[in-house]
């Protein structure tokens, strides 16, 4: 389910740089317009510096989805999932990526660059891009993600 010309931002820290470069090429070859947010070398960097701008774009609706990479994927996912409307999924296999899309409507793919091969990362990326959200019974569950307390009030700390 490729969306030719769709703009997809991609970002990594130093641990994900080399794999990001490979995936950037794959995305371009698939017909996507790639927005490389950085980093641009293997020099040590701080993952939040790259996760914040990408996550903001997804949260604001400027883009529908994005790709983040760091050593474990965890740091990037912690930052991304703080943004309203962002559902960032650390995926280490195509099966996890497919379920993240089908059941959770994941709109940010996070790859653990130190724990997946280039080939596996490409398969994960392709699966994530091509798998649609199933909706149905999952729609209500995804809607509940934005709720912050047991009363369904979306204001943090409100309700008692």
């Amino acid at each position: 389910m490729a969306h030719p010309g769709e703009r997809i931002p991609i970002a990594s820290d130093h641990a994900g740089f080399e794999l990001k470069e490979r995936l950037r090429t794959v995305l371009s070859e698939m017909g996507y317009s790639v927005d490389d947010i950085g980093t641009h070398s293997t020099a040590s960097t701080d993952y939040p510096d790259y996760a914040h701008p990408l996550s903001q774009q997804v949260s604001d609706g400027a883009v529908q989805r994005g790709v983040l990479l760091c050593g474990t994927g965890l740091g990037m996912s912690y930052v991304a999932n703080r943004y309203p409307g962002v559902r960032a999924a650390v995926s280490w296999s195509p099966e996890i990526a497919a379920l993240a899309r089908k059941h959770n409507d994941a709109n940010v793919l996070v790859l653990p660059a130190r724990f997946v091969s280039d080939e596996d990362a490409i398969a994960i990326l392709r699966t994530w891009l091509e798998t649609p959200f199933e909706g149905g019974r999952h729609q209500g569950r995804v809607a509940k993600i934005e709720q912050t307390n047991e009363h369904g009030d979306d204001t943090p700390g409100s309700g008692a």
Side-chain angles (χ1 to χ4, degrees):
M1 180 179 300
H3 300 274
E6 177 186 347
R7 184 169 68 89
I8 296 190
I10 189 169
S12 72
D13 67 358
H14 56 282
F17 170 73
E18 290 177 5
L19 184 54
K20 175 185 66 79
E21 293 299 293
R22 179 84 165 98
L23 296 182
R24 193 167 53 96
T25 300
V26 169
L27 284 166
S28 292
E29 290 170 352
M30 291 177 73
Y32 292 95
S33 172
V34 182
D35 178 13
D36 185 352
I37 294 174
T39 191
H40 301 292
S41 77
T42 57
S44 184
T45 60
D46 297 334
Y47 61 84
D49 295 343
Y50 304 96
H52 281 299
L54 186 145
S55 303
Q56 188 68 60
Q57 287 184 43
V58 175
S59 183
D60 290 347
V63 296
Q64 291 187 3
R65 49 196 174 169
V67 179
L68 292 168
L69 302 92
C70 67
T72 63
L74 298 174
M76 289 291 200
S77 71
Y78 299 153
V79 174
N81 282 314
R82 294 179 60 97
Y83 283 79
V86 172
R87 292 171 304 282
V90 179
S91 298
W92 55 91
S93 72
E95 295 80 10
I96 297 295
L99 288 171
R101 285 289 309 132
K102 286 180 186 180
H103 294 181
N104 310 116
D105 198 16
N107 53 13
V108 174
L109 174 65
V110 188
L111 290 164
R114 290 185 174 146
F115 298 93
V116 294
S117 67
D118 284 11
E119 296 74 25
D120 287 345
I122 292 167
I124 293 165
L125 175 67
R126 287 183 185 277
T127 299
W128 181 76
L129 289 168
E130 296 168 357
T131 303
F133 177 50
E134 285 181 352
R137 72 183 193 275
H138 304 292
Q139 186 63 50
R141 296 170 185 161
V142 169
K144 287 181 178 183
I145 292 171
E146 295 301 319
Q147 296 175 354
T148 56
N149 67 41
E150 68 276 8
H151 301 289
D153 186 335
D154 62 1
T155 306
S158 65

